[in-house]
Amino acid sequence: MKKISLITCAVAAALCSNTALAADVEIYGRADFNFGVDNYHGGTKDGETNWGLNDGASRFGFNIREQLNEDVSINGYFENGFMIDSGEFMQEGVLFNRRSILSVKSKTYGELAFGRMGTVTSSNAPFGMGITMLDPFLTSYTSDFTISGLFASDSRADNSILYYTPRIGGWQLGLTYSLQRSGEEEEQEDLNDRVASGLISYTNGRFYGVLGASTIMWGNEGSNVDRKDSVEAFAGFNYDLTDTIKVYLGAQYVKDWRLFSYWKPKNHSATSTADEHGVDGMLYITGFRYKASGNTTLIGSYGFFDGEQDVGNETREGQRHRLSVGAEYYLSKRTNLYLVANYTKNEDYVVDNDGYRYKYSALAGMTHKF
């Protein structure tokens, strides 16, 4: 990322005062495209092969910092996603769909932030320090490879309040509470879908460990009125075995979870009332990153899901195995080529919901950061 001082910029001016030091504005971005293929076997998609040129989560943003004194700064984090193949915004009508945050940060007391953001346990920067740290693919590429395509993860939430303590003796605590998840503005709080999450992490040189949990409190109106609140808890670590090999290990427990892309609780009554229960289960991930040379990094991960859902007198059971491998070749510090491949196997209800028993997929692409 390249830092540019834009003191006269309107965004920076909004954060400046007569007595404060000039604000620093960092303009950054990522342009990512890939060519991909998916080949399906079994289920309703049996025999399908899909090819395509895809956007790889391209984005641009601004990081703004005004240093009030030696201890306290005002910070702004603004980021928008766009489609590199068309130039369109990722979300129509929303400028900063990925994050829109204003915070007060103190070296002594920590950071307090407000706005649209990912929770502390999510896979979304700049505050997601939970399952992100357990992902060998560093949340890049598609859901076939990232931990957020396997583990339960909070989505970005509007009207959020977040607090991180300073790191003391290697330990740090983070908390998030959202008054509503997205697109809801009911005055009565319990009519909105709300999110609460927390984590505690510890780092000491080569080791990073984390323990976290979150809950989605579904709004008490419409089809959500009978829903049980969703809960997840996880633990894991990453560790630098050597200067070239980093290993990852994580596990997660879910109760009444509803946001899996590969298992979507369905309506089952004549009145279209949503399922009372979500998915209960356990998830696991392990993997590595190996710097094979100065320019080449090899990646591998294996993930497993085993869950069930009670629907009336029926219990749906399902499993998923996911094996992913990849290689990144760095042309420079900001530009790399990549080739990644994946094998996914579904069992039982996941086959019915996802439309296939097993799938082969691959992506070849390029990422440039600026």
Side-chain angles (χ1 to χ4, degrees):
M1 294 183 290
K2 184 178 180 181
K3 179 172 286 190
I4 304 173
S5 181
L6 299 175
I7 300 173
T8 58
C9 175
V11 180
L15 296 177
C16 290
S17 69
N18 292 332
T19 58
L21 299 176
D24 287 331
V25 179
E26 179 185 50
I27 301 177
Y28 69 92
R30 164 176 156 168
D32 189 316
F33 75 91
N34 60 68
F35 187 75
V37 58
D38 297 309
N39 178 245
Y40 300 93
H41 299 268
T44 58
K45 296 183 178 180
D46 186 40
E48 286 188 21
T49 300
N50 300 326
W51 303 80
L53 183 64
N54 310 298
D55 173 73
S58 300
R59 79 287 300 263
F60 66 88
F62 305 88
N63 289 330
I64 302 168
R65 182 175 61 89
E66 181 186 8
Q67 198 69 40
L68 300 183
N69 53 48
E70 291 185 357
D71 184 61
V72 179
S73 64
I74 303 298
N75 298 270
Y77 311 94
F78 305 95
E79 187 174 281
N80 187 70
F82 67 93
M83 304 294 291
I84 194 170
D85 54 348
S86 65
E88 296 177 300
F89 282 178
M90 190 65 69
Q91 186 174 345
E92 185 178 355
V94 179
L95 178 55
F96 296 115
N97 70 305
R98 294 179 62 90
R99 57 178 175 259
S100 177
I101 306 166
L102 187 65
S103 82
V104 179
K105 187 173 183 178
S106 164
K107 298 175 184 177
T108 305
Y109 300 106
E111 186 165 15
L112 182 63
F114 306 87
R116 174 175 172 78
M117 66 188 78
T119 68
V120 293
T121 58
S122 74
S123 61
N124 301 310
F127 298 125
M129 300 297 288
I131 65 172
T132 297
M133 309 305 290
L134 311 179
D135 186 2
F137 281 83
L138 307 181
T139 71
S140 295
Y141 316 113
T142 68
S143 60
D144 286 334
F145 302 90
T146 66
I147 193 171
S148 57
L150 180 70
F151 272 38
S153 177
D154 305 325
S155 58
R156 294 179 177 88
D158 296 347
N159 292 348
S160 295
I161 304 169
L162 177 145
Y163 173 67
Y164 262 120
T165 67
R167 192 167 291 279
I168 302 174
W171 295 92
Q172 187 174 38
L173 175 69
L175 300 167
T176 307
Y177 182 77
S178 169
L179 299 173
Q180 52 101 344
R181 288 180 58 242
S182 185
E184 304 162 329
E185 292 288 351
E186 297 290 345
E187 291 185 11
Q188 186 174 330
E189 183 189 12
D190 64 359
L191 297 182
N192 299 306
D193 299 339
R194 293 148 293 147
V195 182
S197 67
L199 66 75
I200 185 168
S201 66
Y202 174 77
T203 184
N204 183 5
R206 295 176 177 270
F207 177 84
Y208 182 94
V210 62
L211 174 69
S214 68
T215 180
I216 299 177
M217 297 158 280
W218 299 98
N220 297 318
E221 68 172 351
S223 63
N224 293 354
V225 69
D226 293 326
R227 286 186 174 186
K228 301 292 184 182
D229 291 342
S230 300
V231 177
E232 62 86 14
F234 67 91
F237 68 88
N238 66 59
Y239 179 69
D240 290 306
L241 283 177
T242 68
D243 292 339
T244 59
I245 301 176
K246 181 188 288 285
V247 295
Y248 300 78
L249 182 65
Q252 183 182 57
Y253 166 77
V254 295
K255 177 71 174 177
D256 290 311
W257 201 261
R258 299 176 179 273
L259 301 183
F260 292 121
S261 61
Y262 52 91
W263 187 322
K264 300 175 183 176
K266 298 179 179 179
N267 296 333
H268 63 90
S269 73
T271 58
S272 296
T273 300
D275 292 338
E276 179 181 6
H277 294 284
V279 179
D280 302 340
M282 289 295 303
L283 302 100
Y284 308 90
I285 192 169
T286 187
F288 68 89
R289 291 182 66 86
Y290 169 52
K291 191 173 182 180
S293 70
N295 298 77
T296 304
T297 298
L298 305 179
I299 319 165
S301 74
Y302 169 74
F304 175 67
F305 159 83
D306 183 18
E308 64 180 28
Q309 180 192 11
D310 291 331
V311 182
N313 296 324
E314 175 190 0
T315 299
R316 302 167 177 164
E317 297 182 350
Q319 299 78 37
R320 166 173 276 207
H321 303 262
R322 199 186 70 176
L323 179 65
S324 303
V325 295
E328 299 171 342
Y329 181 80
Y330 287 82
L331 301 174
S332 69
K333 290 183 178 180
R334 295 195 297 268
T335 304
N336 70 280
L337 306 176
Y338 59 84
L339 176 63
V340 293
N342 167 271
Y343 169 75
T344 299
K345 179 182 179 182
N346 294 329
E347 298 178 8
D348 300 323
Y349 178 72
V350 186
V351 177
D352 299 331
N353 185 83
D354 222 17
Y356 63 90
R357 182 163 297 280
Y358 61 94
K359 178 182 75 168
Y360 300 98
S361 61
L363 299 173
M366 181 172 69
T367 302
H368 175 69
K369 298 178 181 179
F370 56 90

